[in-house]
């Protein structure tokens, strides 16, 4: 599993149109189950994604084509983690060890 921390490099580039493109682009990754959760940080300094991509490279390939990344709106830091505990209602999201 991966945690993606997106940080705005230039929030003025995050136009409403580009935000729609960003969300529409990521929608396919939610539809195929590779992304689990995502949303903006408060205060509005960027966003967070929770990913189940098969590899970090697969995730990087997706992020590199994200309109926010391609247009210099955000930079991404990826953290790999292995869940070992979850509330019962979320255990189905990942095979816990």
């Amino acid at each position: 599993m991966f945690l993606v921390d997106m940080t705005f490099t230039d929030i003025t580039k995050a136009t409403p149109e580009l935000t729609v493109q960003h969300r529409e682009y990521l929608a396919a990754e939610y539809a195929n189950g590779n992304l689990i959760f995502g949303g903006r940080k408060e205060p509005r300094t960027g966003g967070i994604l929770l990913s189940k991509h098969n590899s970090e490279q697969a995730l990087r390939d997706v992020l590199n084509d994200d309109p926010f990344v391609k247009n210099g709106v955000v930079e991404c830091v990826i953290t790999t983690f292995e869940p070992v505990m979850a509330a019962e209602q979320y255990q189905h999201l990942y095979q816990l060890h």
Side-chain angles (χ1 to χ4, degrees):
M1 216 173 230
F2 303 97
L3 176 74
V4 180
D5 187 354
M6 296 179 145
T7 302
F8 287 124
T9 55
D10 186 350
I11 196 168
T12 65
K13 292 182 180 179
T15 63
E17 296 80 17
L18 197 57
T19 300
V20 168
Q21 291 174 24
H22 161 72
R23 290 179 180 168
E24 287 176 349
Y25 173 76
L26 292 180
E29 294 300 306
Y30 286 102
N32 67 25
N34 285 329
L35 289 178
I36 302 170
F37 294 106
R40 65 176 158 214
K41 296 187 276 189
E42 293 296 336
R44 193 162 183 235
T45 58
I48 299 288
L49 299 172
L50 187 58
S51 160
K52 285 182 58 175
H53 284 83
N54 290 329
S55 69
E56 184 174 337
Q57 187 58 54
L59 173 58
R60 285 188 186 282
D61 290 346
V62 168
L63 293 174
N64 287 339
D65 283 336
D66 182 321
F68 268 10
V69 174
K70 288 173 80 169
N71 287 281
V73 177
V74 297
E75 290 181 346
C76 300
V77 174
I78 298 172
T79 302
T80 303
F81 74 101
E82 287 292 327
V84 295
M85 297 177 71
E88 186 175 334
Q89 67 267 34
Y90 299 112
Q91 289 179 3
H92 69 281
L93 295 175
Y94 197 79
Q95 182 70 28
L96 297 176
H97 303 278

